[in-house]
Amino acid sequence: MNRRAPIRLPLALLALSLVTGCATAVDGFPSASPESAGKNDGHQSGVVLYQERGSEGPFEFGGTPAYDACLVLPLADVVSAGVVLREDSNGQLVNRHQIAAGEHDPEQGGMSNNGMSTCSFPTEGANQLNLTIFQPPFDDPESKEQFEDIYSGNSSVDVTIVREETIAGQKVIVEGTDWGGWKIAFFGDDYYAILVVKVDEEGIRGSSPEEFRDSLATTVAQRLSEGPTPPARYSYTGEFAWVQPACTLYTGEDFEAAFGMPDIGRVEERHNIFVGVTTGSVQSGTQDNEPRRSVRTGCGRENEQAANSNVGSSSVAPQGLVASFEHFETEQGAAQYNNYNCDGDKKYNHPFGPPLKVPAEFSDIGDGHVCFISLGDVNPPFTFKVKQTVVELSSWNSDTYSDMRTALDVLEQPARNIAERLARL
């Protein structure tokens, strides 16, 4: 199984190498199956991810109830609207949002906000669909007025205003772009939101791109006007109903055990929307492996210095740690994947070099092989297996990997905690 080398980036942009689905992967690179690719019937077959509103919130940040963008623009609405979601290696729903109270440096500056909550959908082709909601005190409290001036054409920034109207008590401005889509800005009393939309020229389910855009804008404006809700919860159907949420398997306490400081309370969750099927290949040396069905999830956590570029000066280094989970239909599938990653058999082709073995005292983490996966000059993920799940822990901070012992000092306790939770499933 070949791997792409991920780019070392902050958590908001960190790519989790997810295998996704209703697709067949040869050499580890999935491609949409002919019978499912391109469907646009408003009920795309094969979706196994289930999303529902939670019951414990809404959570607050600095006393402000926090929106969850993935409930302002829910998965079920996107699928029922006829948006075709990707079933290849990028077929992941990404939900970056607040799930707990977090500390925050009140010093602000500039307009490089990250948004309290972002929801991104894996659309087919060059299409785009994502929503970001900006709220102080996480985001610069002065930026709402600045962005409103920009989108209204009242600044030196050149914009193309398509339309401006009031929907559900909010100013809504549609801006044209030079890449064929739109940015739709929503301005409420104490927040603003940006919806990015791009669809094929033929439109969706009989609606033109403009009609689809306007319908979506109305829905988002109405949901924003209803106020924050408890954040979304995710689960899987069918043979993967046993899979637990990634941010339950990897907790804020695990982050603190790694770095000796709390995370900021905002997480990045990633979920396969479809089941993936990976087949063996001669190129990777896995030709004797049986096809493996799996779903992959991920949870990223970070401290406040990494979470927002506007937190002011700090002597504390930005830190982030991502846990990704490949959940297999069978334990044999997990064992095959774990063997390829770690057992060091020369029959396997590892494009970035053989796995990095860990000292024997770490070999009892989980119930399979334990190693670092070589990815060239990129920080190597730490991986292990528990039952039907293979786990990878990754950090983008190169200081974590100054040497193997330093890395293991950071990663050991989170790994043991996660392995213990998985063993109880």
Side-chain angles (χ1 to χ4, degrees):
M1 180 185 296
N2 293 339
R3 287 177 172 269
R4 295 184 181 92
I7 301 171
R8 185 180 298 134
L9 292 172
L11 181 59
L13 301 175
L14 182 63
L16 298 177
S17 177
L18 305 185
V19 179
T20 63
C22 273
T24 298
V26 179
D27 300 337
F29 297 97
S31 58
S33 58
E35 54 274 16
S36 64
K39 286 188 177 180
N40 194 3
D41 57 7
H43 186 69
Q44 189 170 350
S45 61
V47 174
V48 295
L49 180 64
Y50 181 69
Q51 178 193 60
E52 62 182 337
R53 181 178 296 182
S55 59
E56 301 176 359
F59 286 102
E60 296 186 354
F61 189 94
T64 299
Y67 279 97
D68 182 349
C70 282
L71 285 179
V72 176
L73 188 60
L75 173 63
D77 285 8
V78 170
V79 173
S80 64
V83 176
V84 179
L85 301 174
R86 297 180 66 166
E87 302 183 21
D88 61 12
S89 60
N90 292 311
Q92 310 130 28
L93 171 67
V94 182
N95 187 14
R96 182 170 168 79
H97 64 126
Q98 196 69 24
I99 63 167
E103 296 296 327
H104 186 62
D105 187 331
E107 183 178 345
Q108 302 283 343
M111 294 173 60
S112 54
N113 295 326
N114 285 338
M116 178 78 86
S117 179
T118 296
C119 190
S120 299
F121 292 91
T123 52
E124 273 288 351
N127 297 333
Q128 295 185 48
L129 183 59
N130 61 75
L131 173 68
T132 300
I133 303 171
F134 301 85
Q135 294 179 262
F138 186 81
D139 294 300
D140 186 344
E142 298 179 359
S143 64
K144 174 179 172 290
E145 181 178 349
Q146 294 171 313
F147 273 99
E148 192 167 359
D149 284 342
I150 291 173
Y151 275 83
S152 300
N154 298 327
S155 73
S156 60
V157 179
D158 186 24
V159 297
T160 302
I161 300 175
V162 175
R163 62 190 300 172
E164 180 177 332
E165 58 188 324
T166 299
I167 305 176
Q170 299 163 88
K171 179 189 288 187
V172 180
I173 303 173
V174 179
E175 175 191 330
T177 68
D178 57 7
W179 39 264
W182 299 277
K183 292 181 179 179
I184 308 172
F186 306 81
F187 296 98
D189 291 337
D190 54 2
Y191 64 85
Y192 66 100
I194 306 296
L195 174 66
V196 176
V197 181
K198 183 179 185 297
V199 297
D200 294 331
E201 292 181 4
E202 61 267 26
I204 294 179
R205 295 181 64 193
S207 298
S208 69
E210 291 78 12
E211 289 171 333
F212 174 75
R213 173 202 71 198
D214 294 343
S215 174
L216 207 60
T218 297
T219 298
V220 169
Q222 290 173 341
R223 287 220 175 89
L224 285 169
S225 70
E226 295 169 1
T229 64
R233 295 187 302 196
Y234 297 88
S235 58
Y236 284 92
T237 60
E239 67 269 39
F240 293 98
W242 57 272
V243 171
Q244 296 296 302
C247 290
T248 299
L249 295 172
Y250 163 46
T251 68
E253 288 75 17
D254 297 332
F255 181 92
E256 188 160 4
F259 298 109
M261 68 186 76
D263 72 345
I264 198 171
R266 192 177 63 154
V267 301
E268 179 172 296
E269 298 177 280
R270 290 175 177 254
H271 315 269
N272 277 178
I273 297 175
F274 305 93
V275 175
V277 181
T278 304
T279 61
S281 73
V282 174
Q283 180 182 358
S284 63
T286 58
Q287 63 270 23
D288 296 330
N289 289 352
E290 296 294 325
R292 304 189 300 274
R293 289 167 51 83
S294 64
V295 294
R296 193 170 175 101
T297 63
C299 177
R301 297 179 181 275
E302 58 197 357
N303 63 358
E304 67 171 273
Q305 287 72 21
N308 194 337
S309 57
N310 292 339
V311 297
S313 60
S314 174
S315 60
V316 178
Q319 298 287 1
L321 185 64
V322 174
S324 59
F325 303 87
E326 186 95 26
H327 303 285
F328 290 86
E329 186 177 16
T330 67
E331 188 163 352
Q332 180 186 12
Q336 289 178 346
Y337 188 56
N338 180 238
N339 289 344
Y340 172 78
N341 282 334
C342 283
D343 75 2
D345 194 316
K346 292 183 178 179
K347 70 180 180 183
Y348 296 132
N349 175 31
H350 296 281
F352 301 103
L356 306 175
K357 294 185 178 180
V358 299
E361 61 263 34
F362 298 94
S363 63
D364 63 336
I365 298 176
D367 55 22
H369 301 291
V370 184
C371 72
F372 286 94
I373 301 172
S374 296
L375 292 178
D377 61 353
V378 176
N379 297 342
F382 180 72
T383 185
F384 56 93
K385 182 188 84 72
V386 182
K387 295 183 177 178
Q388 293 168 237
T389 300
V390 174
V391 184
E392 294 179 17
L393 297 179
S394 304
S395 172
W396 44 263
N397 191 328
S398 59
D399 290 344
T400 301
Y401 298 90
S402 56
D403 56 68
M404 182 176 290
R405 177 56 62 175
T406 298
L408 289 171
D409 285 346
V410 171
L411 301 174
E412 179 183 9
Q413 195 56 55
R416 292 191 180 279
N417 294 348
I418 290 167
E420 182 178 342
R421 295 183 193 107
L422 286 168
R424 293 197 297 263
L425 295 181

